[in-house]
């Protein structure tokens, strides 16, 4: 089954404790992206990757890092999480950017205390 | 700034009522347009998309949308909503090979 898998689904942690949210897709997609979803703000792009070893900032990249060492994986790293990063995070992938629909993971709800 | 606007934050309808959710974008030139739906507690799913051709596109679950280039609009419609349509709906746009830009979403509540 074609899917985008995120882990963990839920995480409560404390300020400053490094965390990684993993994202993996099994569709051989070149394009992957991370979004955060906040009430009243919709989805905002954090980082995206056009292909292996190619990443770029989205609209709200501050406080986040990503890597794309393999085509299928695109982890999101919070080196020193802060409470304003409490949010619902979605990973997405598509075969191309632009005119191809994106496939979304189930989401990761992060609470930073 | 280039943006996607969804006019209604929250829409409440009774079952069998007709639905129209507005979406306007501010990009010039060729765009790709999408509507995604997010059911409670779930991830976003593609409802329908427009790239070119017939400006009236049909999606899943009886939804359709009309692209009106002169109005920079891509409104979502459904003739008769059901309780199961309760969800949040997001309009999104890409320009050329650009990234997907989302509107802020419209919550639809359908009363049984």
């Amino acid at each position: 089954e074609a899917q985008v898998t995120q882990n963990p689904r839920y995480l409560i942690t404390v300020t400053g404790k490094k965390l990684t949210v993993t994202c993996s897709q099994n569709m051989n997609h070149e394009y992957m992206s991370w979004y955060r979803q906040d009430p009243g703000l919709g989805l905002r792009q954090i980082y995206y990757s056009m292909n292996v070893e190619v990443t770029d900032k989205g609209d709200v990249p501050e406080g986040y890092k990503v890597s794309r060492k393999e085509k299928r994986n695109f982890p999101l790293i919070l080196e020193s999480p802060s409470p304003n990063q409490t949010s619902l995070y979605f990973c997405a992938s598509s075969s191309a950017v632009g005119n191809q629909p994106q496939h979304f993971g189930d989401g990761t709800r992060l609470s930073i205390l | 700034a280039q943006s996607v606007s969804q006019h209604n934050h929250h829409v409440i309808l009774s079952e069998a009522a007709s639905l129209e959710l507005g979406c306007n974008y501010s990009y010039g030139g060729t765009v790709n347009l999408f509507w995604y739906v997010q059911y409670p507690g779930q991830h976003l799913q593609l409802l329908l998309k427009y790239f070119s051709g017939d400006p009236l596109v049909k999606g899943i679950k009886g939804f359709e949308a009309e692209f009106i280039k002169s109005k920079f609009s891509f409104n979502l419609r459904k003739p008769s909503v059901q309780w199961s349509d309760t969800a949040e709906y997001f309009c999104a746009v890409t320009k050329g090979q650009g990234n997907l830009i989302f509107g802020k979403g419209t919550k639809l509540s359908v009363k049984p």
Side-chain angles (χ1 to χ4, degrees), chain B residues 1 3 9 12 14 18 20 23 33 39 46 48 58 61 65-66 73 85-86 98 110:
Chain B
S3 67
H9 176 64
I12 302 172
S14 297
S18 65
E20 181 160 3
C23 174
L33 299 156
Y39 297 104
L46 182 69
L48 49 80
K58 296 194 183 298
K61 304 187 182 188
E66 185 175 13
S73 70
D85 293 324
T86 294
V110 181

Side-chain angles (χ1 to χ4, degrees), chain A residues 9 31 35 37 40-43 45 48 59 88 90 97-102 104-106, chain B residues 32 34 36 38 42-44 46 49 51 88 90 94 96-104:
Chain A
R9 293 291 313 280
Y31 180 86
Y35 300 88
Q37 183 180 16
L41 297 177
L43 279 84
Q45 191 178 48
Y48 64 95
D59 296 320
L88 178 59
F90 287 101
V97 68
N99 64 357
Q100 295 301 317
Q102 294 190 17
F104 285 82
D106 287 338
Chain B
N32 306 302
F34 305 83
Y36 285 86
Q38 185 179 31
Q42 296 188 27
H43 61 272
L44 276 79
L46 182 69
K49 61 185 186 290
F51 299 150
E88 190 158 15
F90 292 93
T94 66
Q97 297 302 306
N99 289 307
L100 198 58
I101 305 298
F102 284 90
K104 292 184 178 179

